[in-house]
Amino acid sequence: MIRSGVLVAVFIWTALPAPAAADINVRPTLSSPPIKAGLTPNGSWTTYHFDHAHTGFDPAAPAMSAVQTTPGWNLSALDQQVYGEVLVSGGLVYAATLNNTVYALDQNTGSIVWQDHLGAPQTFGWICGNISASGILGTMAIDAPANRIYAVGEIAGSTPIFHLWGLDLSSGNVVMDVPLAPAGFDWKIQQQRGAIAIANGYVYVPFGGRAGDCFDNGQPYFGWVVGVPVGGGSNLVYRTPSGGESVWDAGGIVVDDTSHNVFFATGNAIPCSGATYSDAVVRVSPTLGSPSFFEPNDWQANWCGPDSDLGSASPTLLSPNLMFQSGKHGGGFLLNPTNLGGVDGQLFPAQNPYVQADVCLGNTSDATFGSFAYAAPFVYVECEGHGLVALNVNTATPSFTPCGSGCGAPDWNAGGTTTFGPPIVAGGAVWVASNGGGLYAFNAANGTQIFHSAGFGINRFVTPTEAGSQVFVPSGTVIRSFSYGITLFPKSLDFGGVLPGSTSAAQTVTLHNIQSSSLTVATTVLSDTTNYLKGTDTCSGMVVAAGGSCSVQITFKPTAFGTHPATVTITDNGLGSPRTVPLSGLSAIDNQGHLYTLDGYGRIHPAGTTPTLASATAWGWNIARSLALFPDGTGGYILDGYGGIHPFGSANPVSGFSYWGWDIARQIVLAPWSTVASPAGWTLDGYGGIHPFGGAPAITGASYWGWDIARGIVVLADSTPGSVAGYTLDGYGGVHPFGGAPAVAFTGYWGGWDIAHSITLMASATKSNPGGWVLDGYGGIHQFGAAPTISNGPYWGWDIARGIVAWTGSGTGGWVLDGYGGIAPFGSAPAISPYSRWGIDIAVALGSSGTSTAGLRRAG
């Protein structure tokens, strides 16, 4: 029985090949997703033109009066051209390229948080077309509650196939991959250009033809819509009845959130004669059945015949009972979406006699493309070579003032002969971009130009995005960002780990007054003046001139161990005041100098410059399981497999712990407030039970399985005796919250395979921003929650990894322990040398100040 005292035995080391830190650098076959970190949500734009109705209007955007390039934003070069509208959610900006790569950029800085290349795109073999490579061309869609983003691209192969991918929003990990190849679909003449949409439990994907309107040995292309169920199951398929009726416009699929019906516009049939649904707005049910349509009275003569697609742009829902549509022939229509009316079924213009209601200053050739925007009373239309037009709409008696050769009040037009992409509306401005001309903003009420950036290029049909007083525009292989109103940069400050009593380097929050009038700042206030200090403050009591800025410096000087979340709040007389920036800091020893390895016989070994700590444990067999150190690093406890707790260093013996007498204890962890004088902590048994010792409270809400599958436990650093929160790890990779910890996203799960070995929290993890890493037996490091991506960890390809510890110093990352005692860094953590290394798989755990791991070698 191992409970106290010392058991001594002689054992023989047997030399086996030992993995070195640089031995094998192969990506694991296990999932290894990157995860976002330290992001502050700042508005959202989750589908093409903001909503399912495609209004392109963000009603929550604050009023703007001046614009500048977003402070801090950098232009990260992406791997190919971007055509689709970028999307925004949870502090990330999402973009997709023709190389089938989806990127997530930090909304605050523009830096790449994660990227996922989904497969080589097709680059040849089409009968016609003007885009290569043919990767992700259309706009993606975000399902924020499900934490997914969906994208469609074409994958190269002997028979190229379009795929719909569902990616985890936080990590980019692929959680869904569905080939899209309905019977009769011909990839050589079909293309996916239109925006996809998520509604009714489906992802709706439109297809049209390729530029050049080519056939394949006489077989025509069609308009297709495929509905892919997000929960799995058979795809729905709709195909237009006549050849050439392409669903190709950039706006793609529109959904009425009231009726749940699905709408799209079609191009001209080939041939026109005898066709149905040519140049039409088509409505189908949520399951793509029961089609009905609208066609102009002159659809054959003026739309189909001269290749003047009504479907050059997607419709816009002004309300559940009113829809706007226009196209290449330049006529506009108001429709009843509940009764499209067939041929000549519009509400406006009059059906008899029918006279076209012009929308683009009389242009009837390639008049408008992409999509429209709506913010009452105007529908905003981009007009090729004629700038931007605002049509005044009367929704009570459905009608609008046409914009023909005369286009006066109550309409307005702006931009001269410029050709813009589709418009959006935010902050009282209409935003449009042009190829070579850059970004413009016009007063939404009267068309007065209020902003024009320096020139830059855009691809065809590119439309801006707005979120959190930022406007984003794809420009070739970069995404450009512009801010308006009043902004703070950065959006949050993280001071990392600082020793109690020490003072961090100063960090600065800058307020930018991006408006045309001055701003009076009243105060800047710290919520925690015990652990944070305010330095130079050029904001409080100051008047910030239009276009000017002020700043406040902050340092972190913790008084006690633990995590210290706080805020700095700036109060002024501008819209959106008060403004708050979150602060975070960890009061801890830099554990680079306090790392210890534990072998299975109970002996602890210092690594690098770590001081030696006295220990009385040493057994003649592999029964030691885990070690934990006090936050000050002066001592701690070793756990044996039977549940016995053994002090080392400055630690005193403890009593009252659980003891089983058989090998079922798995890990020991100390409370963040634990001290030599008042030790407190918990042990984890293999079934998932968590058992307090010392002055620690009982744990609530923990998972319990009843069999030996629990592998690790972590406690969040801002836990208190009255509110303990953390996570347990099962051998399959499940990360389970307990106490007040929130559930976290983690896709590295290997059901039925006991390969997850260890878990650690990133140094800045808190209850409101948890995150960390899971270590698999092969050395793969898998992020969960808000932890950042790791791309440089060790990987051996066999079950030899034993423990993982996060660095509490000035960088991100940590160290991984292999079974032979080797310590390999990951992230930005420094290499550790020297360390004890043996030729036998006997190292079981890695521990440091305030952090612990557990090791259980499993056969096979």
Side-chain angles (χ1 to χ4, degrees), residues 689-784:
I690 302 174
H691 309 271
F693 65 86
I699 295 293
T700 60
S703 299
Y704 188 79
W705 298 282
W707 58 297
D708 187 2
I709 197 62
R711 294 292 169 261
I713 180 173
V714 287
V715 174
L716 288 158
D718 57 343
S719 293
T720 64
S723 177
V724 178
Y727 299 90
T728 52
L729 172 72
D730 69 53
Y732 295 169
V735 178
H736 308 270
F738 61 79
V744 289
F746 179 56
T747 53
Y749 184 80
W750 312 281
W753 187 12
D754 187 359
I755 196 63
H757 280 7
S758 187
I759 183 172
T760 191
L761 292 167
M762 62 181 185
S764 60
T766 63
K767 296 174 189 176
S768 61
N769 188 44
W773 299 275
V774 167
L775 177 72
D776 70 54
Y778 291 177
I781 300 171
H782 309 270
Q783 299 83 349
F784 65 87

Side-chain angles (χ1 to χ4, degrees), residues 331-390:
F333 303 91
L334 292 176
L335 312 174
N336 180 355
T338 68
N339 180 16
L340 291 175
V343 177
D344 204 22
Q346 71 276 357
L347 299 176
F348 181 83
Q351 297 177 6
N352 187 19
Y354 167 72
V355 177
Q356 175 163 300
D358 287 336
V359 301
C360 281
L361 293 98
N363 182 18
T364 58
S365 176
D366 288 342
T368 187
F369 291 87
S371 191
F372 317 105
Y374 174 65
F378 294 108
V379 169
Y380 301 95
V381 182
E382 75 83 24
C383 294
E384 301 285 292
H386 293 80
L388 178 69
V389 167

Side-chain angles (χ1 to χ4, degrees), residues 389-621:
V389 167
L391 302 172
N392 189 279
V393 178
N394 184 331
T395 58
T397 58
S399 61
F400 62 82
T401 303
C403 179
S405 56
C407 191
D411 294 346
W412 60 255
N413 64 284
T417 59
T418 305
T419 293
F420 295 119
I424 66 167
V425 186
V430 185
W431 304 84
V432 284
S434 73
N435 186 20
L439 178 67
Y440 295 74
F442 298 97
N443 186 296
N446 57 34
T448 302
Q449 182 175 305
I450 51 181
F451 174 70
H452 181 201
S453 74
F456 58 81
I458 63 171
N459 286 314
R460 191 74 165 117
F461 312 140
V462 156
T463 185
T465 299
E466 181 277 334
S469 298
Q470 284 175 264
V471 176
F472 305 94
V473 186
S475 175
T477 61
V478 300
I479 309 301
R480 299 182 184 272
S481 174
F482 303 87
S483 293
Y484 63 90
I486 302 163
T487 65
L488 295 179
F489 180 82
K491 295 292 191 298
S492 61
L493 298 182
D494 182 359
F495 291 89
V498 175
L499 190 66
S502 300
T503 303
S504 72
Q507 297 191 45
T508 300
V509 173
T510 301
L511 179 149
H512 296 268
N513 181 20
I514 311 170
Q515 58 180 12
S516 58
S517 59
S518 61
L519 179 77
T520 300
V521 179
T523 58
T524 60
V525 177
L526 289 171
S527 65
D528 177 356
T529 56
T530 300
N531 297 293
Y532 292 91
L533 305 174
K534 189 168 65 170
T536 303
D537 179 1
T538 63
C539 292
S540 293
M542 302 299 291
V543 175
V544 182
S549 64
C550 67
S551 62
V552 55
Q553 284 188 332
I554 301 167
T555 54
F556 178 46
K557 187 176 181 179
T559 58
F561 288 108
T563 299
H564 302 283
T567 59
V568 57
T569 300
I570 300 178
T571 303
D572 54 62
N573 65 344
L575 187 66
S577 177
R579 311 171 203 286
T580 299
V581 173
L583 312 175
S584 60
L586 173 70
S587 178
I589 290 174
D590 184 342
N591 60 358
Q592 177 185 351
H594 292 79
L595 284 173
Y596 297 88
T597 56
L598 175 71
D599 68 48
Y601 296 96
R603 297 202 259 193
I604 61 171
H605 308 267
T609 60
T610 298
T612 299
L613 294 179
S615 173
T617 58
W619 307 292
W621 54 303

Side-chain angles (χ1 to χ4, degrees), residues 615-636:
S615 173
T617 58
W619 307 292
W621 54 303
N622 189 349
I623 196 60
R625 291 292 169 257
S626 178
L627 81 162
L629 279 83
F630 293 122
D632 65 5
T634 61

